[in-house]
Amino acid sequence: MGYDLASITGLLAEGKKAFESATDVDALEAARREYLGGKGHVKGVLGGIKDVPKEQRGEYGKAANLLNKQLTEAFNAAKARVGAGASSAKPGIDLTKPGTRREVGHAHIITQTIEEIVEIFGRIGFTQVEGPEVEDEFHNFDALNIPQGHPAREEADNFYLQLTGPDWDAKPVPMLLRSQTSTIQIRTMEKQQPPVRVIAPGRVYRPDTVDATHHFMFHQIEGLAIAEDLNFGDLKAVLELFVHEYFGADTRMRFRPHYFPFTEPSAEVDIDCQMFKHLKKPWLEILGCGMVDPNVLQAVGYDPEKYTGFAFGMGVERIAMLKHRIGDIRHFTTNDMRFLRQF
Ligand code: DAH
C-alpha cells in the first residue's frame, strides 16, 4: 500500500477525529487497530519511508514521524477519557441503586478494655509484655510459691495437657493451659534484671462451669514492679491512679487483707464510685495485689535482700462488665453482633 505526503495529511486528520469521537472502549479499540495497530496505517507509513525516493525521503519521514506522535497522543488522551468514564457508566449498571454496604469493623470490647488499661499503666512507665498460654507447672505454680498439693494445682481445677513433643517415645511433660497471668511475672523476671515495670494482658483457662459470671476462658491483666526500694505505698499510689483514671476521679478504694501465695502481704481491692450507684452495693472487688513474696524473687534468682516489688492481677471481663453494665460473661464469646456493636 503506497502512502504519499497528501495521504499522510489525510490520515492525520481522520485518525485524530476517530480517536476524539470514540466514546466507548470498543470504538477506541477499533480506531487504535486501524491507525496504531500492527497492520495499521501508521505502521504502513513508517514502513514506507525506505521506499521513498532519496530527495523526498526527508520530508516524508518528518511527516511520518509527526503522524505517529500525534495519533499516539490522541489515542492516549482518548484512552484516559473513555477509561475514566467506563467505571462509572458501564452499560447495564444502575447508578441510582443503593450500593453494597461494607461494614467498618472495630476492636472487640475485651480488646478495647485491655488497650485502655494498658495505656493507663503505660503513662507511668509500665511496658506491655506477654507470655505463652500453654505453660509448665514451674511457671504456673512452683515459681509462684504454690507448692505441690496446693488446692490451686488440683486436676479438676486446671486444664492439664500431656505433651510429648517431637519424640513420641519420650515421657510426657505435664503442661497446662495457664490458669493465671501471674506466669508472666516469672517469665519476665527470668529474662531481665531489676528494675522491672511491666503490664501483661492475656487469656487464662479454668474448667469452671459456664454461667453468667464464669467461663472456662477469660482474660487477666497482670502488673509487676521490682526495684530496690518499692513499698506498699507505691502499690497503693499506682492502683489509685489506675482506679481514678479508669472508673472516675470520684472513686473510693479500699484494700482488704487477703491471701495469695505469691505476695506477702496480700490484699484485694474494692472500689465504690458513682458508676456503680445502680448496683446499690457499696464495695465491689476489682483486683488482687500485694508485695512480691521473697520466695518468688528467689525462684527467679533475684536477691530478696536487695529487691522488693509489688504485683497485681485483675479480670478483664469482670472490669468490662462492671463499667459497661454487662450482665452475662457469655456475651463476650457468642459473637452476637447486636451485643458487639454497642461498644
Ligand atoms: N493470679 C491471681 C488470680 O488469678 C490474681 C492476682 C492476685 C495476681 C494478686 C497478682 C497478685 O499479681 O499480686 O486470682
Side-chain angles (χ1 to χ4, degrees):
M1 185 172 359
Y3 292 99
D4 56 16
L5 279 177
S7 59
I8 292 177
T9 313
L11 283 172
L12 183 59
E14 284 162 34
K16 272 189 175 171
K17 210 162 116 192
F19 287 126
E20 277 160 18
S21 60
T23 50
D24 60 44
V25 178
D26 293 341
L28 181 62
E29 174 57 15
R32 187 197 66 79
R33 231 181 290 137
E34 183 174 354
Y35 291 93
L36 297 169
K39 291 179 182 150
H41 292 302
V42 169
K43 197 97 182 195
V45 169
L46 291 170
I49 296 179
K50 61 181 190 315
D51 304 325
V52 178
K54 259 211 177 94
E55 345 29 288
Q56 291 153 33
R57 202 177 284 167
E59 203 178 347
Y60 178 95
K62 228 189 252 168
N65 286 323
L66 191 71
L67 176 74
N68 185 23
K69 181 169 174 271
Q70 295 206 340
L71 289 189
T72 303
E73 280 169 12
F75 166 69
N76 286 335
K79 193 165 80 174
R81 175 170 47 78
V82 170
S87 58
S88 62
K90 269 196 199 134
I93 291 184
D94 180 357
L95 294 179
T96 64
K97 256 166 94 174
T100 315
R101 206 190 185 96
R102 299 215 185 267
E103 300 229 11
V104 178
H106 67 265
H108 190 281
I109 179 61
I110 291 299
T111 308
Q112 289 182 43
T113 306
I114 289 173
E115 284 173 356
E116 191 178 344
I117 295 173
V118 166
E119 192 275 327
I120 291 171
F121 284 103
R123 286 184 226 158
I124 46 172
F126 284 77
T127 325
Q128 182 172 347
V129 290
E130 280 172 16
E133 290 176 33
V134 177
E135 264 296 5
D136 52 43
E137 293 186 282
F138 177 76
H139 291 90
N140 202 87
F141 301 123
D142 300 298
L144 286 163
N145 201 31
I146 305 173
Q148 287 291 344
H150 189 283
R153 298 178 73 132
E154 263 174 39
E155 199 79 31
D157 292 329
N158 292 282
F159 284 111
Y160 281 100
L161 310 161
Q162 296 286 314
L163 291 192
T164 336
D167 177 5
W168 293 102
D169 296 326
K171 205 166 155 267
V173 193
M175 301 283 279
L176 74 161
L177 298 183
R178 71 180 173 205
S179 62
Q180 49 184 351
T181 45
S182 304
T183 53
I184 309 173
Q185 290 186 29
I186 305 304
R187 293 206 168 263
T188 303
M189 291 188 283
E190 282 174 333
K191 270 187 277 197
Q192 69 168 94
Q193 287 302 307
V196 174
R197 211 182 280 182
V198 293
I199 188 86
R203 288 194 191 93
V204 298
Y205 302 83
R206 293 176 194 178
D208 284 339
T209 305
V210 176
D211 62 22
T213 52
H214 296 85
H215 206 277
F216 54 82
M217 183 282 297
F218 57 101
H219 298 74
Q220 288 186 332
I221 295 188
E222 193 83 13
L224 174 71
I226 307 281
E228 276 189 36
D229 50 8
L230 289 176
N231 59 44
F232 207 94
D234 297 310
L235 169 61
K236 272 186 97 167
V238 164
L239 291 181
E240 195 169 80
L241 175 111
F242 161 67
V243 158
H244 285 170
E245 290 296 310
Y246 191 78
F247 291 103
D250 67 328
T251 310
R252 292 195 302 148
M253 184 165 94
R254 80 175 179 193
F255 286 73
R256 185 165 33 76
H258 199 76
Y259 171 79
F260 294 106
F262 30 86
T263 41
E264 181 59 35
S266 305
E268 279 189 330
V269 170
D270 301 332
I271 57 169
D272 175 34
C273 69
Q274 211 53 39
M275 207 181 271
F276 305 142
K277 279 289 167 276
H278 65 287
L279 293 174
K280 299 195 169 54
K281 265 205 217 161
W283 294 104
L284 292 163
E285 178 206 322
I286 55 156
L287 57 83
C289 63
M291 299 306 292
V292 177
D293 194 291
N295 287 347
V296 173
L297 298 176
Q298 224 141 25
V300 297
Y302 283 7
D303 180 358
E305 296 299 326
K306 188 167 173 197
Y307 298 112
T308 55
F310 58 81
F312 54 89
M314 62 187 108
V316 178
E317 277 78 358
R318 186 180 164 76
I319 299 245
M321 286 170 80
L322 283 173
K323 184 156 179 172
H324 302 287
R325 303 193 185 186
I326 297 164
D328 195 316
I329 197 172
R330 289 168 290 199
H331 285 313
F332 293 119
T333 47
T334 46
N335 277 343
D336 185 335
M337 294 306 284
R338 293 167 305 175
F339 169 77
L340 295 172
R341 280 202 189 100
Q342 298 176 88
F343 308 104

